[in-house]
Amino acid sequence: MRTLADLGDLNGRRVFVRVDFNTPLTDGGEVADDTRIRAALPTLTELRRRGARLVIAAHLGRPKGADPAFSLAPVAARLSELLGTDVPLAPDLGAVPDADVVMIENVRFHEGETKDDPELAARYAALADVYVDDAFGAAHRAHASNHAIAKLLPSAAGLLLQREVETLTGILEAPPRPMVAIVGGAKVTDKIGVLDAFLQRADTVLIGGAMCFPFFKAQGHAVGASLCEEEGLEPARRVLTGPHADKLVLPVDLVCGAAFDAGTEVTPVDGVDVPDGLMGLDVGPKTAERYGALIRAAGSVFWNGPMGAFELAPFAAGTKAVAEAVAACPGTTVVGGGDSAAALQQFGLGDTVTHLSTGGGASLELIEGKSLPGVEVLS
């Protein structure tokens, strides 16, 4: 993968930088969480240090055409504050101001963006001399601003994209031992590729969230009203009878409720059989203690997916215990974006891990062994 070191002299050259600024906004239209903007600052700062002039491109949400509700204006304003320089927003590709740093409007305002349209890519390329991709969160998509354009200009990965790929591939290829993978979330079918990858490579795989219920049902346990996808039963049976089943660790107790609601009555269950009318919404304290001990003793940890409905206070304890254990682990700790990253931030632990990925879907596809178009085009 080509990196910034391969680009040579950038002094006075215009660099089109694709970043992932898909940030949440407040009701008042301001940036609610600038984590992704801050993650791109090292690349932007390094390019400016080398004398480059920047044309910054990003997407926000999934607009249907040019929708003002999805404008990058609040993002440009926040980036201006973080960079300490004015970052004007160009609403039209035909009228991009001649500034040291400029941001173009939401690339998904253009119909051809998600179609990897070469004509749109050519319009992007006409704005610059060099292309840099730092949007790991979009690397699993082949779009005009992160794929087709890279074929038209000298191109390279930014510092964030480089770090994401090297860290995630590194924990697969040469992880410090013992390696513990924590896989949670709602559906086995969403994570079966990740499970298969870690059952082959990790020493221990801890399961949490609603995805544990197809495993329990396959073992003959009652799941009550818990979220239990029928499509997940066959993959669960395959894992339970597979050659790496001894690496799999399932919960031993649960915290249940009658409804997915913070006000529902909380019912601890010592065991994994869920009573009729109740749903499992978190792992129990015995499971949290067991998982925590394994995580803290690990040489490396990869975590993707919560242990339960951590957004509901009565059912957040399991995810919090895992987050605290990951934070306390002295080894290499990698968190694969998405809800796990949100949980770390919720519990004030975002700065405690070795690497917090900015790309949930991209990180999972990379671990599954899938090709990432936004990375492959830079190779």
Side-chain angles (χ1 to χ4, degrees):
M1 187 171 62
R2 294 185 296 275
T3 66
L4 297 186
D6 299 311
L7 292 178
D9 184 16
L10 295 176
N11 191 40
R13 305 186 78 189
R14 208 173 258 292
V15 180
F16 189 103
V17 189
R18 177 61 160 99
V19 292
D20 182 9
F21 286 173
N22 188 25
T23 60
L25 303 178
T26 66
D27 291 338
E30 296 180 345
V31 172
D33 181 353
D34 63 6
T35 302
R36 289 185 172 179
I37 303 175
R38 290 179 179 275
L41 292 179
T43 293
L44 302 181
T45 301
E46 173 61 12
L47 290 170
R48 296 185 72 206
R49 185 193 69 79
R50 291 172 60 177
R53 308 179 76 198
L54 309 183
V55 178
I56 300 171
H59 75 276
L60 182 64
R62 297 180 178 179
K64 306 287 186 184
D67 185 342
F70 295 92
S71 172
L72 285 171
V75 178
R78 182 60 183 140
L79 181 60
S80 298
E81 296 172 352
L82 293 172
L83 279 181
T85 189
D86 183 46
V87 181
L89 180 69
D92 191 299
L93 293 178
V96 177
D98 185 24
D100 286 340
V101 184
V102 62
M103 182 181 291
I104 62 173
E105 186 55 282
N106 193 336
V107 293
R108 290 190 180 172
F109 283 4
H110 304 287
E111 183 181 356
E113 167 62 16
T114 57
K115 298 177 180 179
D116 202 20
D117 180 25
E119 292 186 7
L120 178 58
R123 294 180 66 193
Y124 293 149
L127 300 173
D129 309 300
V130 176
Y131 174 73
V132 169
D133 189 355
D134 215 28
F136 179 69
H140 57 317
R141 310 293 186 208
H143 291 172
S145 67
N146 77 328
H147 188 255
I149 185 177
K151 303 175 183 179
L152 304 177
L153 295 173
S155 58
L159 299 175
L160 175 62
L161 180 60
Q162 179 184 353
R163 184 182 181 215
E164 291 270 17
V165 172
E166 290 177 350
T167 301
L168 291 168
T169 55
I171 202 167
L172 288 175
E173 294 170 359
R177 301 288 178 178
M179 183 194 179
V180 174
I182 314 154
V183 185
K187 297 181 178 180
V188 174
T189 51
D190 287 347
K191 302 284 179 74
I192 191 61
V194 176
L195 269 178
D196 286 339
F198 281 118
L199 284 168
Q200 294 179 46
R201 295 172 173 86
D203 299 288
T204 305
V205 179
L206 312 179
I207 302 296
M211 65 182 294
C212 69
F213 294 111
F215 288 96
F216 291 149
K217 189 169 183 177
Q219 292 175 327
H221 294 289
V223 298
S226 304
L227 177 63
C228 181
E229 54 160 352
E230 289 299 315
E231 297 85 353
L233 285 174
E234 185 53 39
R237 289 192 187 100
R238 176 172 62 78
V239 169
L240 288 169
T241 58
H244 305 293
D246 59 322
K247 297 181 179 181
L248 195 72
V249 180
L250 292 165
V252 294
D253 59 343
L254 301 167
V255 180
C256 299
F260 191 89
D261 187 282
T264 192
E265 183 179 352
V266 177
T267 304
V269 173
D270 189 8
V272 295
D273 287 290
V274 181
D276 288 344
L278 297 182
M279 59 179 66
L281 294 172
D282 193 14
V283 298
K286 291 181 180 178
T287 302
E289 183 177 355
R290 183 185 187 191
Y291 283 13
L294 290 167
I295 293 165
R296 285 188 290 271
S300 58
V301 173
F302 178 86
W303 178 28
N304 181 271
M307 297 296 99
F310 73 97
E311 63 272 35
L312 305 177
F315 307 104
T319 302
K320 184 178 181 182
V322 164
E324 290 174 342
V326 172
C329 175
T332 301
T333 51
V334 178
V335 178
D339 287 338
S340 305
L344 275 177
Q345 300 291 0
Q346 177 175 313
F347 302 130
L349 300 170
D351 297 327
T352 62
V353 297
T354 305
H355 181 70
L356 180 58
S357 179
T358 58
S363 64
L364 296 186
E365 291 197 16
L366 186 64
I367 285 166
E368 290 175 29
K370 294 181 180 178
S371 172
L372 302 185
V375 173
E376 293 298 321
V377 76
L378 302 176
S379 300

